[in-house]
C-alpha cells in the first residue's frame, strides 16, 4: 500500500538559514510526488511536483526537491529561508487511477516549520 | 483564474442538524476530491469523483456522510445528522487528468 512518512513533526530554523524537509514514500511503481504548503486558515498550495525526468525539480517560492529512487525519498530544500515560509508542509504520493496517470493522493502527516527572526 | 471555491468558510451548528458543504471546482478539471483535516488524523480522503462519477468513497466515515456531483461545476458533501466528532476542516480539491490537485480554502466545521 502507498504511504508517505515525514519524520519531522516540527522544525525550527533561523531566517536566512538553509532548510531541508524530509519525505520518504512507499510505493511499488514509479511514484508521482508532490510537496504542498499550508498557511494557517488556508488551503494547500502546490509547491512542486515530480512526474518523471530530471530528479531535481524546481518549484515556487525558491523551493526545490530531489527524487532519490534508491532511498525512496523526495526531500524539500530551500537555500535561504524567509520568515514568510513559516507554515506546514505536506509531502504526497499519487496512486494511478484506472490507467490514468494520477488519482488519489496519499499525504504525510506534515512538518510544521517555524522561522526565527 | 478562479481557484476552487468552497462555501461556507465557517459553519457552526448543533449536534443533530444537517450540514451541507459546497464546492465549485476549477473549470475544465475532471477530478474532484473531498478531504477532511483534523489534528488527530491529519488529511483524510473522503471521496473522489471523475467526470461527476464517484470513483472511491471508501474514506466516507459513515452512512451519515454523503456526497454528490450533479454536474461538472458543483459538488456537495452532506452530513446528516451531524455529531461533535465531525468537527474538522473540510477541503475540496480538483485536478485535470494527469495534473496536480488544487485545493480550496476549506470549510471549518464546528458541531456543538
Amino acid at each position: 500500500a502507498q504511504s508517505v512518512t515525514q519524520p519531522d513533526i516540527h522544525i525550527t530554523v533561523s531566517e536566512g538559514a538553509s532548510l531541508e524537509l524530509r519525505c520518504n514514500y512507499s510505493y511499488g511503481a514509479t511514484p508521482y510526488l508532490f510537496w504542498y504548503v499550508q498557511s494557517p486558515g488556508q488551503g494547500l498550495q502546490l509547491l512542486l511536483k515530480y512526474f518523471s525526468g530530471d530528479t531535481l525539480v524546481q518549484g515556487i517560492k525558491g523551493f526545490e526537491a530531489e527524487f532519490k529512487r534508491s532511498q525512496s525519498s523526495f526531500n524539500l530544500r530551500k537555500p535561504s529561508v524567509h520568515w514568510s515560509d513559516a507554515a506546514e508542509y505536506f509531502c504526497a504520493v499519487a496512486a494511478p487511477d484506472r490507467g490514468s496517470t494520477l488519482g488519489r493522493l496519499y499525504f504525510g502527516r506534515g512538518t510544521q516549520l517555524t522561522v526565527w527572526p | 483564474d478562479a481557484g476552487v471555491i468552497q462555501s461556507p468558510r465557517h459553519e457552526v451548528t448543533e449536534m443533530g442538524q444537517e450540514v451541507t458543504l459546497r464546492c465549485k471546482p476549477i473549470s475544465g478539471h475532471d477530478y474532484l476530491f473531498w478531504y477532511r483535516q483534523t489534528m488527530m488524523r491529519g488529511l483524510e480522503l473522503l471521496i473522489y469523483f471523475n467526470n461527476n462519477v464517484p470513483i472511491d468513497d471508501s474514506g466516507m466515515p459513515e452512512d451519515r456522510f454523503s456526497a454528490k456531483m450533479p454536474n461538472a461545476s458543483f459538488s456537495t458533501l452532506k452530513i446528516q445528522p451531524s455529531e461533535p466528532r465531525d468537527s474538522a476542516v473540510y477541503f475540496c480539491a480538483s485536478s485535470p487528468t494527469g495534473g496536480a490537485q488544487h485545493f480550496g480554502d476549506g470549510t471549518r466545521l464546528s458541531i456543538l
Side-chain angles (χ1 to χ4, degrees), chain B residues 24-61:
Chain B
K24 177 179 171 55
I26 293 172
S27 178
H29 284 191
D30 49 4
Y31 281 84
L32 183 139
F33 304 82
W34 282 101
Y35 292 89
R36 178 171 67 176
Q37 185 178 39
T38 61
M39 290 292 292
M40 290 294 294
R41 301 173 68 92
L43 268 165
E44 302 174 274
L45 177 68
L46 301 177
I47 185 171
Y48 76 96
F49 296 82
N50 178 218
N51 292 324
N52 313 336
V53 176
I55 302 300
D56 184 352
D57 65 354
S58 60
M60 295 286 263

Side-chain angles (χ1 to χ4, degrees), chain A residues 36 38 41 97 101-102 109, chain B residues 9 31 37 39 50 98-99 101:
Chain A
Y36 284 86
Q38 185 180 26
D97 161 37
T101 54
L102 296 178
R109 290 303 303 269
Chain B
R9 287 298 313 275
Y31 281 84
Q37 185 178 39
M39 290 292 292
N50 178 218
Q101 292 182 28

Side-chain angles (χ1 to χ4, degrees), chain A residues 21 37-40 83-89 111-115:
Chain A
L21 302 182
V37 60
Q38 185 180 26
S39 298
W83 64 265
S84 60
D85 293 324
E88 189 156 23
Y89 292 79
T111 298
Q112 183 68 46
L113 175 66
T114 297
V115 180

